[in-house]
Amino acid sequence: MKPRGAALLERFQHPAQVVVTGFGITVLIGTGLLSLPYATAGEPSADPVDALFTATSAVCLTGLVTQDPGTHWSLFGELVIMGCMQVGGLGLMTVATLFGILLSGRVGLRARMAAQAETKTLQMTDVRRVVRNVVLFSLTCEAVVAAVLAVRLAQKYDEPWFRAVYFGAWHAVSAFNNAGLALWPDSLTRFVGDPWMCLPICAAVVVGGLGFPVVFELARRWRRPRTWSILTRVTVGTTTVLFVAGALVLTALEWNNVETLGTRPRPTRWLAGVVLSVMPRSGGFNSVDTSALRPESWLVTDVLMFIGGGSAGTAGGIKVTTFGLLAFVLWAEMRGDAHVNVGPRRLPAGTPRQAMAIVMLSAGLVTVATIVLMALTGHTLDRVLFEVVSATATVGLSTGITGDLPLSGEVMLVVLMFVGRIGPLTLATALALRKRTRRYELPEERPIVG
């Protein structure tokens, strides 16, 4: 008979289980550090729920907060939050694999499988190279954005150089990792007409949210679109369509809204429209008051948040790849094709089923959470739905009701942020301790559909 400890370890050998456990431990460590007396700016110690909420929001790259990061937390607390965002963005398993490479030069099979599950690499032999490239690429992008923001803050807004560099680095990490946490209480609203502040942050959000496999492939084959993989084709195409459509629709809806864009110059309106379209992709920053948007704009933003960004990136949502592939599935079904083709390639039979499972799990989670949160609070459907989708898709935009939620509502958002970060399908896989293979096929019967 095996010892209880050995039996327990065997139950957690699946890579998805390791990822779930690792993120949970990271959230607990962040919560513990933020609960220390010197983590807050003016209080003896943080409220445990506020510490848990903030740590979960940072590690899961969401951006929802119950306390303003720039005033409630001390320098130590801000650095803890920044570290949580960086670890959450790179992926806990990516960081662990990197340390294994640096310390021993060797990566065990289980560590490779865990890193593969986190980075979504297609070949297990590529994990070592991919981890190095992910870390170097992330740090390089963050350094470039931080430098641009620091120079702008120092020259345009007369910030001292140390403060400018610190703010630039903090928001570069937050933007590239799609965390959406800002040290300014009004996020980016004070920079609504400044392209040198808004556009670098938007660029970091887009690049970080595309997904590392797509970015690396574009770096190699950007001149040869015909050689792009299905992942890159669908991600780039769907991202472009959603960005353009989102910017046009949201700008048009808010054009005459005096509380958002109506009183601003035309160039500022278009710049704000770009930010409105980019940030629901999991960016989480806002350059206009989100609570003042029209209900129609909230609904459009809900859709963009639910879709999210690219696979294997720092964005959340069901992913643009999932949404794009389902569009191809619909097109093939309307045409009566036996297979789903994307460009010169054919999708495997199981891929549409996986995409549908992700959508159904996410939609079901959002629906149930919205009903429960409405029962717990007195807020309207549009505001509650916006909050739930933002938490589940790890976006961080809010209509302003986060701080008014009861304790049970805050705990629910913590759960939604955690589940949204690791993914409904990953969580379901982690909970499935055994995989059964059916050794026979049942007779086929076609039901009436529709």
Side-chain angles (χ1 to χ4, degrees):
M1 183 175 180
K2 295 183 180 180
R4 181 177 299 179
L8 182 62
L9 288 176
E10 288 185 359
R11 293 172 65 88
F12 284 90
Q13 291 183 356
H14 196 288
Q17 293 174 321
V18 179
V19 172
V20 173
T21 306
F23 269 99
I25 293 174
T26 307
V27 169
L28 293 179
I29 293 175
T31 302
L33 293 175
L34 291 177
S35 299
L36 296 175
Y38 39 87
T40 53
E43 301 178 8
S45 60
D47 181 80
V49 177
D50 289 336
L52 174 63
F53 195 100
T54 304
T56 305
S57 183
V59 173
C60 298
L61 311 176
T62 306
L64 292 175
V65 291
T66 55
Q67 299 289 343
D68 176 44
T71 57
H72 182 74
W73 304 104
S74 65
L75 177 61
F76 173 79
E78 292 173 2
L79 291 177
V80 170
I81 296 172
M82 184 178 178
C84 288
M85 292 188 296
Q86 188 71 80
V87 172
L90 292 177
L92 185 64
M93 293 300 100
T94 305
V95 174
T97 305
L98 174 65
F99 285 145
I101 295 172
L102 295 178
L103 295 177
S104 65
R106 300 171 59 187
V107 181
L109 178 61
R110 188 178 301 176
R112 291 187 183 185
M113 293 176 65
Q116 184 184 16
E118 172 61 27
T119 59
K120 306 296 189 300
T121 52
L122 300 180
Q123 300 295 331
M124 192 176 298
T125 56
D126 294 336
V127 170
R128 183 191 296 256
R129 174 178 55 84
V130 167
V131 168
R132 288 197 184 104
N133 291 342
V134 164
V135 174
L136 291 175
F137 178 76
S138 300
L139 296 180
T140 301
C141 290
E142 290 171 358
V144 171
V145 175
V148 175
L149 297 180
V151 171
R152 187 62 173 176
L153 288 171
Q155 294 185 351
K156 174 67 175 178
Y157 300 96
D158 298 325
E159 292 282 2
W161 273 104
F162 177 81
R163 181 179 170 89
V165 171
Y166 173 67
F167 270 58
W170 210 93
H171 292 90
V173 171
S174 182
F176 182 81
N177 293 298
N178 278 236
L181 292 169
L183 294 178
W184 299 292
D186 55 356
S187 191
L188 302 180
T189 55
R190 64 184 63 188
F191 309 115
V192 61
D194 188 349
W196 288 99
M197 290 297 295
C198 292
L199 293 183
I201 291 179
C202 286
V205 168
V206 172
V207 174
L210 278 178
F212 299 117
V214 173
V215 171
F216 293 157
E217 184 173 349
L218 289 176
R220 297 192 308 267
R221 304 178 182 177
W222 66 276
R223 293 183 177 180
R224 296 169 291 170
R226 293 184 178 181
T227 64
W228 290 357
S229 64
I230 290 180
L231 175 64
T232 301
R233 286 172 179 266
V234 175
T235 301
V236 173
T238 308
T239 297
T240 303
V241 171
L242 291 177
F243 167 70
V244 174
L248 293 176
V249 172
L250 289 172
T251 303
L253 290 174
E254 297 297 320
W255 190 265
N256 295 320
N257 186 352
V258 295
E259 297 184 17
T260 55
L261 306 183
T263 60
R264 304 186 186 277
R266 287 178 179 268
T268 300
R269 296 187 196 184
W270 286 111
L271 177 61
V274 170
V275 177
L276 283 172
S277 180
V278 169
M279 293 308 166
R281 316 305 305 286
S282 198
F285 294 98
N286 60 284
S287 62
V288 296
D289 186 4
T290 307
S291 64
L293 295 175
R294 300 182 188 276
E296 309 93 287
S297 299
W298 283 343
L299 183 58
V300 174
T301 306
D302 287 339
V303 175
L304 293 177
M305 291 192 298
F306 185 77
I307 296 173
S311 301
T314 56
I318 63 170
K319 310 300 185 184
V320 293
T321 313
T322 304
F323 179 77
L325 290 180
L326 288 180
F328 280 101
V329 171
L330 177 61
W331 178 247
E333 190 65 26
M334 293 174 61
R335 296 183 58 183
D337 295 336
H339 302 286
V340 181
N341 301 320
V342 181
R345 295 289 187 270
R346 174 170 54 89
L347 287 181
T351 302
R353 185 175 59 188
Q354 183 181 11
M356 183 60 68
I358 293 174
V359 173
M360 294 299 294
L361 283 171
S362 299
L365 180 64
V366 168
T367 301
V368 173
T370 302
I371 294 174
V372 174
L373 198 59
M374 285 187 66
L376 295 174
T377 67
H379 297 294
T380 57
L381 172 61
D382 50 5
R383 291 182 180 272
V384 172
L385 178 62
F386 193 99
E387 203 80 7
V388 169
V389 175
S390 180
T392 307
T394 65
V395 178
L397 295 174
S398 175
T399 59
I401 67 173
T402 307
D404 298 332
L405 296 177
L407 177 61
S408 56
E410 294 181 1
V411 173
M412 174 177 289
L413 290 187
V414 168
V415 174
L416 290 177
M417 290 188 291
F418 186 80
V419 174
R421 175 64 182 104
I422 61 178
L425 196 61
T426 302
L427 179 61
T429 305
L431 296 177
L433 298 180
R434 292 194 307 167
K435 180 180 179 181
R436 297 188 302 170
T437 302
R438 189 182 296 273
R439 301 185 182 278
Y440 58 90
E441 295 290 339
L442 297 174
E444 182 178 286
E445 178 181 348
R446 182 181 293 273
I448 299 176
V449 178

